[in-house]
Amino acid sequence: MSPDDPARRQEGARRLTPARVLDVDGLLEDPENRIVVCCGSGGVGKTTTAAALGLRAAERGRKVVVLTIDPARRLAQSMGIDSLDNTPRRVKGVDDAAGGELHAMMLDMKRTFDEIVESHADPERAAAILGNPFYQSLSAGFAGTQEYMAMEKLGQLRAKDEWDLIVVDTPPSRSALDFLDAPKRLGSFLDGKLIRVLLAPAKVGGRAGMKFLNVGMSMMTGVLGKVLGGQFLKDVQTFVAAMDSMFGGFRTRADATYKLLQAPGTAFLVVAAPERDALREAAYFVQRLAAEDMPLAGLVLNRVHGSGADRLSAERALAAAENLEDARIVDQDGGKAGVRNDPGNSPDAYGSSEPTGSTSGGPDPDASPEAPDTAGDAADTTTEDTAADGSDTAGDAPAEAPADASERSVDGLAAGLLRLHAERMHLLAREQRTRDRFTARHPEVAVTEVAALPGDVHDLAGLRDIGARLATGRPELPEPGA
């Protein structure tokens, strides 16, 4: 096969050759690496990737905790735990021959916020804050609260110095960039101008304070009063007064956690699928991490499709399918061709007086003149025998029909499989083009791939398999003993 052969060119186009291959085991086993953050857009397999990395690190001797923010609770199910909460729980069934441990937890956003209040306020003030309606709304679902609390919990886990490795599954935000932006946004809000304005009346106190509030915020109170009512403003003012001593701490902790993400020992893994939107989001994240001086370890390309028959191109498969489905001259039923080409059915055999030689396919000149009559008698006898018992010729005709139907069924099945193969080849080519665009723009990013599996991961064995695929850098693993 020459280098210019189309099949060779297509085969080469399907083969992904990233600039660098991500050394997952080296990343997990390095004692200097203390935090691995799995990030990316929603629905690309961040939770499964984080769990598989945690399990692989634990079975290589490290004490690991996996922090997930995924509300679907798939991590707990795959690890054989009934439920996860804000406290790390040890996972059973992990191979601890190397001395490692695996623990898992799921972020409880409100509970983490409550812990911050309880640890930075006296009991009386903490009770006032926790019972405040505005605080309850803020801690349960304010924009950016989940991402901020994820970073708070990461900071708490790292400060304890109890774990060799912390693997973080980032929140399923609409945009992966929210993970970096939200903590700063919430920190800025809690330490910003609005809070200081709301805090001023509480510091002035009494009627003078309310007068200040009405004068300085007349437009805001007019709008909020109509939409939410005066009680809302009172709840906000009470909350701000109780949190006065804590606002600076929110911004300080947000900045400290941000620096933790930039520090040596932290590694980001961008998780994506070989799809245009997911890799575009991954590219934005790569650029943002570089701009923020945050350490990027590489890209996990999840759910990559493959085929063991990729030497058969889509074009050839479709051509073969059409060849099986359409009526063709070469392979169509013989019709009268067999009768016409049968030496025994030449014109002389039917009594033609035209002289023929032995090479014409006619009867032997030395044959008995009664031969044609004998042939006719044989034909008559056959016809009479068939008419008499209905078992010979009449039985043979239907017997050929099932064979023809079976052959058509096999051809149809083969054609359908060929078309499915063509669709798979088109999918592989589309994924390859998408990956090539990413690696061309970011050749510095190391890549590892995980195959698209037929089902979800439900147990430790499945997570172990994913970890093995991550470490090999190849989506398809060889069969055991191969």
Side-chain angles (χ1 to χ4, degrees), residues 125-475:
R125 179 171 290 189
I129 295 172
L130 297 178
N132 184 275
F134 179 74
Y135 167 78
Q136 292 174 357
S137 298
L138 176 69
S139 60
F142 192 82
T145 304
Q146 187 180 51
E147 288 82 357
Y148 180 91
M149 292 305 151
M151 292 298 92
E152 280 280 355
K153 181 56 67 175
L154 173 60
Q156 293 175 9
L157 293 172
R158 185 65 182 87
K160 291 180 179 179
D161 203 24
E162 182 181 352
W163 313 97
D164 298 332
L165 182 65
I166 304 169
V167 182
V168 182
D169 165 34
T170 57
S173 305
R174 286 182 56 193
S175 169
L177 300 178
D178 289 346
F179 177 67
L180 295 178
D181 291 333
K184 281 189 173 181
R185 287 202 305 268
L186 184 63
S188 298
F189 167 75
L190 294 175
D191 193 29
K193 294 181 179 179
L194 175 61
I195 293 297
R196 290 197 297 271
V197 170
L198 291 174
L199 188 60
K203 290 184 175 180
V204 174
R207 294 182 178 179
M210 291 305 298
K211 183 178 180 181
F212 176 88
L213 179 64
N214 290 332
V215 172
M217 302 176 61
S218 58
M219 293 183 62
M220 187 187 76
T221 55
V223 174
L224 292 179
K226 291 179 180 179
V227 176
L228 301 172
Q231 184 62 40
F232 172 80
L233 292 181
K234 184 177 180 180
D235 292 338
V236 172
Q237 184 184 7
T238 305
F239 164 76
V240 170
M243 293 280 286
D244 180 19
S245 62
M246 298 179 57
F247 286 129
F250 279 102
R251 185 61 178 268
T252 300
R253 284 190 297 276
D255 292 341
T257 305
Y258 208 72
K259 291 179 180 179
L260 177 64
L261 295 177
Q262 295 174 316
T266 298
F268 280 82
L269 284 177
V270 178
V271 184
E275 301 168 359
R276 184 178 60 182
D277 291 343
L279 278 175
R280 182 186 292 119
E281 194 82 4
Y284 290 154
F285 211 119
V286 168
Q287 296 167 2
R288 176 64 183 277
L289 290 173
E292 299 290 341
D293 294 325
M294 292 188 176
L296 172 64
L299 171 72
V300 174
L301 201 57
N302 205 8
R303 300 170 185 166
V304 177
H305 292 87
S307 173
D310 57 358
R311 290 183 178 274
L312 177 61
S313 68
E315 291 74 13
R316 292 173 60 193
L318 288 174
E322 292 174 358
N323 202 34
L324 286 169
E325 292 172 340
D326 295 342
R328 294 158 298 136
I329 296 176
V330 176
D331 294 334
Q332 67 182 348
D333 293 339
K336 293 184 178 181
V339 177
R340 185 170 57 249
N341 297 331
D342 188 347
N345 293 334
S346 65
D348 288 339
Y350 287 93
S352 172
S353 59
E354 184 177 344
T356 57
S358 60
T359 60
S360 65
D364 190 340
D366 298 330
S368 170
E370 296 180 3
D373 294 335
T374 304
D377 292 341
D380 293 339
T381 303
T382 302
T383 303
E384 291 173 0
D385 291 343
T386 301
D389 56 22
S391 60
D392 293 334
T393 306
D396 291 343
E400 295 179 0
D404 293 342
S406 175
E407 184 176 352
R408 288 194 298 270
S409 176
V410 171
D411 288 350
L413 178 60
L417 292 175
L418 286 167
R419 291 190 180 279
L420 286 176
H421 176 76
E423 291 179 7
R424 173 56 65 95
M425 290 299 100
H426 286 143
L427 175 61
L428 265 61
R430 185 167 62 251
E431 290 183 355
Q432 182 62 58
R433 290 192 299 270
T434 305
R435 288 178 290 181
D436 285 347
R437 282 194 292 269
F438 178 89
T439 53
R441 294 173 182 173
H442 302 283
E444 77 285 359
V445 178
V447 180
T448 188
E449 295 184 6
V450 179
L453 302 180
D456 294 334
V457 176
H458 299 290
D459 51 23
L460 288 179
L463 291 176
R464 195 172 287 115
D465 176 62
I466 295 294
R469 294 174 186 272
L470 284 165
T472 60
R474 293 181 295 131

